[in-house]
């Protein structure tokens, strides 16, 4: 894990308002979301809930925050400053002195613009899309309309790569979804154990990386 201690401004840039996060409190994990930053002083998040009810938090109670941004896992330890339930449900925690990080991207990404088709399992309706980049483990796909998959869902991708590699209904797991300029950007991870054609995609990727290098 890399640690960042180069000043408050650098730390602020590693905390993206609106990002989903995970709070670990007394050994239990809860979902939350960043709502704002008071530079060098406080970070504001949603009060975590359990079974639909806000959990009770004491002032100075220690907790850890983890989140993913740009393919990197960030985390820091902090303490509760205050909680507010009106007009919004907000948790205020102390600004961290350091943030740790771990890069999730196990292989280099190469830029592509390859037309693909994508569908949900059990559906015969295909949607036109484009593969924007490719790594050894997954890809970034852009969708113009029709299908907006949820994180954790399975999608099936059909592709014809420039090298003549064709593959139908490659199973992929949706890892992240983001809307940008009217386009839905979907990060997928290949479920390599469920389709032999992934080895051909990986061979194309390895050859492309070698050419770029």
């Amino acid at each position: 894990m890399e640690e960042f201690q180069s000043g408050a401004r650098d730390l602020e840039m590693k905390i993206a308002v609106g990002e989903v996060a995970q709070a670990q409190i007394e050994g239990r994990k809860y979902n939350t979301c960043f709502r704002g930053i008071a530079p060098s002083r406080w970070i504001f998040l949603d009060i975590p809930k359990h079974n639909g009810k806000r959990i009770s938090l004491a002032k100075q109670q220690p907790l850890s925050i983890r989140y993913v941004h740009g393919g990197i896992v960030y985390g820091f330890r902090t303490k509760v400053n205050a909680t507010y339930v009106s007009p919004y449900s907000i948790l205020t925690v102390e600004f961290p002195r350091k943030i740790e990080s771990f890069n999730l991207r196990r292989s280099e990404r190469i830029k592509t613009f390859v037309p693909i088709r994508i569908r949900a399992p059990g559906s015969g309706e295909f949607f036109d899309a484009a593969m924007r980049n490719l790594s050894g483990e997954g890809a970034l796909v852009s969708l113009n309309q029709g299908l907006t998959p949820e994180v954790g869902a399975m999608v099936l991708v059909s592709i014809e790569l420039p090298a003549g590699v064709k593959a139908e209904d490659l199973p992929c797991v949706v890892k992240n979804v983001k809307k940008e300029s009217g386009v839905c950007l979907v990060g997928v991870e290949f479920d390599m154990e469920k389709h032999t054609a992934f080895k051909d995609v990986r061979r194309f990727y390895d050859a492309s990386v070698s050419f770029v290098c």
Side-chain angles (χ1 to χ4, degrees):
M1 298 283 282
E2 182 181 358
E3 294 183 355
F4 296 93
Q5 294 179 287
S6 54
R9 180 58 182 166
D10 288 341
L11 297 184
E12 290 167 37
M13 294 175 65
K14 309 227 170 9
I15 300 173
V17 174
E19 292 278 2
V20 174
Q22 185 181 78
Q24 183 167 331
I25 305 164
E26 296 182 344
R28 301 193 66 172
K29 296 178 181 178
Y30 306 90
N31 291 330
T32 183
C33 182
F34 290 112
R35 295 302 181 189
I37 301 172
S40 305
R41 300 189 66 191
W42 319 115
I43 295 174
F44 306 101
L45 307 102
D46 290 341
I47 297 177
K49 293 182 178 180
H50 179 64
N51 293 331
K53 296 182 179 180
R54 290 186 294 264
I55 65 172
S56 179
L57 295 165
K59 189 177 179 66
Q60 292 299 299
Q61 185 169 355
L63 69 157
S64 297
I65 303 294
R66 292 283 187 273
Y67 60 101
V68 178
H69 179 64
I72 298 176
V73 175
Y74 292 104
F76 58 87
R77 295 178 180 87
T78 183
K79 292 181 180 180
V80 172
N81 171 258
T83 57
Y84 305 91
V85 297
S86 180
Y88 303 105
S89 175
I90 293 293
L91 165 66
T92 306
V93 301
E94 297 176 1
F95 199 88
R97 287 176 290 181
K98 65 180 180 181
I99 295 179
E100 299 176 326
S101 72
F102 176 74
N103 198 328
L104 288 177
R105 291 177 178 167
R106 291 163 287 174
S107 58
E108 182 182 352
R109 292 174 180 265
I110 56 173
K111 291 184 178 181
T112 63
F113 197 84
V114 178
I116 64 172
R117 296 190 302 161
I118 187 170
R119 70 182 179 92
S123 171
E125 184 178 10
F126 284 90
F127 296 90
D128 291 329
M131 185 174 69
R132 301 272 291 269
N133 66 41
L134 175 68
S135 74
E137 294 80 30
L140 178 67
V141 172
S142 64
L143 285 156
N144 291 325
Q145 58 184 0
L147 180 65
T148 304
E150 296 183 355
V151 173
M154 180 75 74
V155 293
L156 302 176
V157 171
S158 296
I159 186 172
E160 181 175 353
L161 294 169
V165 175
K166 295 182 180 180
E168 296 287 333
D169 288 345
L170 298 175
C172 303
V173 179
V174 176
K175 305 302 289 184
N176 55 76
V177 178
K178 183 172 69 172
K179 294 289 185 66
E180 185 177 282
S181 301
V183 175
C184 183
L185 297 178
V186 181
V188 299
E189 182 177 83
F190 301 143
D191 196 343
M192 296 188 182
E193 296 181 358
K194 295 185 178 179
H195 205 300
T196 57
F198 276 127
K199 65 181 180 182
D200 296 323
V201 176
R202 180 65 195 229
R203 191 178 299 116
F204 169 80
Y205 167 78
D206 290 340
S208 300
V209 170
S210 299
F211 179 78
V212 170
C213 293

